[in-house]
Amino acid sequence: SAVISQKPSRDICQRGTSLTIQCQVDSQVTMMFWYRQQPGQSLTLIATANQGSEATYESGFVIDKFPISRPNLTFSTLTVSNMSPEDSSIYLCSARGTSARTDTQYFGPGTRLTVL
Amino acid sequence: GQSLEQPSEVTAVEGAIVQINCTYQTSGFYGLSWYQQHDGGAPTFLSYNALDGLEETGRFSSFLSRSDSYGYLLLQELQMKDSASYFCAVTGFQKLVFGTGTRLLVSP
């Protein structure tokens, strides 16, 4: 299995500012993803973080608002830019493609973001 | 587009059996997964069906019918710790798309 850590675990930010969330996986993985989840709701895929190239964004999410980096096979960052209260949510990093099972996707503990 | 529908909430008592259904409409279907998420926790993988039929893992079983675009998660011998949210998820081309989620409440 893969163990995923995220930093920070939570933050309270002012509108108009930006926050960068870091995701570290303890083993090399083929695919990394970023999700958003409102409390009590389902997970919405923001983008697939591609190593060495631009991330692939889902409909409704754009690079200017959610720039993503993935410099290597075990690390990725998601930035939430020019934040507004509507960006308050839990942001989850996820990874797939470890040596154990490629159909299993692992999740980090999430970053709880509150924008005032 | 893609959509996965689940009942919003299911209640049951300890020791009972409960079935959580999932119907989906999607393109690029490779398989159906199930995830469990406790309040405040991360989703954790439960099971995966790529082919029609039943997969059993301990107290949990998962079923898939590709022709009906339908699957379910069966939880047997329910325990209090099974109270959580359960999500079906479609494995499409290179990504996982989650269903609406079912909150399971297990009472004594």
Side-chain angles (χ1 to χ4, degrees):
Chain A
S1 65
V3 177
I4 302 176
S5 59
Q6 287 183 232
K7 288 193 299 186
S9 58
R10 60 178 60 226
D11 208 342
I12 300 173
C13 302
Q14 297 296 320
R15 68 170 67 211
T17 63
S18 297
L19 175 72
T20 295
I21 303 168
Q22 298 180 7
C23 174
Q24 180 73 55
V25 189
D26 69 343
S27 57
Q28 291 189 345
V29 292
T30 56
M31 306 197 72
M32 294 183 73
F33 308 88
W34 287 96
Y35 287 82
R36 184 168 73 180
Q37 184 179 32
Q38 300 284 355
Q41 303 296 314
S42 184
L43 289 82
T44 300
L45 180 63
I46 297 172
T48 301
N50 301 309
Q51 193 228 340
S53 64
E54 193 171 286
T56 305
Y57 290 84
E58 297 299 305
S59 176
F61 297 96
V62 295
I63 187 171
D64 290 345
K65 176 66 176 178
F66 297 101
I68 289 171
S69 77
R70 189 181 172 190
N72 56 51
L73 289 174
T74 63
F75 184 79
S76 177
T77 67
L78 167 74
T79 298
V80 186
S81 303
N82 188 24
M83 287 184 286
S84 67
E86 292 71 36
D87 295 320
S88 297
S89 189
I90 299 168
Y91 292 84
L92 293 145
C93 175
S94 181
R96 181 150 58 104
T98 64
S99 59
R101 293 182 62 159
T102 56
D103 54 299
T104 304
Q105 197 156 315
Y106 299 93
F107 287 83
T111 296
R112 183 179 292 267
L113 172 62
T114 301
V115 184
L116 303 178
Chain B
Q2 296 175 309
S3 70
L4 296 90
E5 296 295 326
Q6 301 177 234
S8 59
E9 187 173 292
V10 174
T11 59
V13 296
E14 273 187 302
I17 299 173
V18 71
Q19 177 173 314
I20 299 174
N21 298 320
C22 172
T23 57
Y24 61 87
Q25 288 185 315
T26 184
S27 57
F29 179 88
Y30 287 83
L32 189 71
S33 301
W34 289 91
Y35 286 77
Q36 178 191 61
Q37 185 179 32
H38 287 96
D39 286 347
T44 57
F45 173 82
L46 290 177
S47 68
Y48 174 72
N49 295 67
L51 303 174
D52 286 0
L54 193 68
E55 291 278 343
E56 297 181 70
T57 309
R59 295 187 296 115
F60 296 175
S61 303
S62 58
F63 172 83
L64 174 64
S65 169
R66 296 174 70 121
S67 60
D68 295 324
S69 297
Y70 164 77
Y72 66 72
L73 178 70
L74 191 72
L75 299 86
Q76 304 182 71
E77 301 173 16
L78 280 174
Q79 302 175 10
M80 294 294 291
K81 67 179 182 179
D82 297 328
S83 291
S85 292
Y86 293 83
F87 296 92
C88 61
V90 163
T91 302
F93 180 64
Q94 294 187 329
K95 64 185 180 183
L96 198 63
V97 177
F98 282 80
T100 52
T102 299
R103 187 167 184 85
L104 172 63
L105 301 172
V106 181
S107 58

